[in-house]
Amino acid sequence: VSLLEEDRDAEAISLFKEIADTDSALAPYGNWYLALAAVKRGETTKANGFLDLIPASDPYLTERANRLRAAL
């Protein structure tokens, strides 16, 4: 996240992709942060695509994803 804040988007996105591509419980968070990176870059369609990958079984992220979608 700090990489995004420091405008080192490419590095941040690379790390988020690694997280999202795992089979761990953290994978949805990788997609969440990929969505945020896409929003930062003005890529709304990509952001929505990443938000669609967040499973409904995670109520915390689902609520945040829905709020972000509404703001877009």
Side-chain angles (χ1 to χ4, degrees), residues 1-2 5-6 10-11 14 17 19 26 28-29 34 36 38 47 55-56 60 64 67:
V1 174
S2 64
E5 293 171 350
E6 295 174 359
E11 292 173 80
S14 176
K17 282 182 181 179
I19 295 167
L26 295 178
Y29 287 88
L34 284 167
L36 293 180
Y60 175 75
R64 294 182 81 182
R67 288 192 343 229

Side-chain angles (χ1 to χ4, degrees), residues 16 19-20 26-36 47 50-51 53-54:
F16 298 149
I19 295 167
L26 295 178
Y29 287 88
N31 287 310
W32 168 251
Y33 286 109
L34 284 167
L36 293 180
F50 291 122
L51 293 174
L53 297 173
I54 294 174

Side-chain angles (χ1 to χ4, degrees), residues 16-47:
F16 298 149
K17 282 182 181 179
E18 285 183 42
I19 295 167
D21 290 342
T22 67
D23 289 331
S24 78
L26 295 178
Y29 287 88
N31 287 310
W32 168 251
Y33 286 109
L34 284 167
L36 293 180
V39 169
K40 181 181 182 228
R41 297 165 64 116
E43 300 170 335
T44 305
T45 302
K46 277 189 177 182

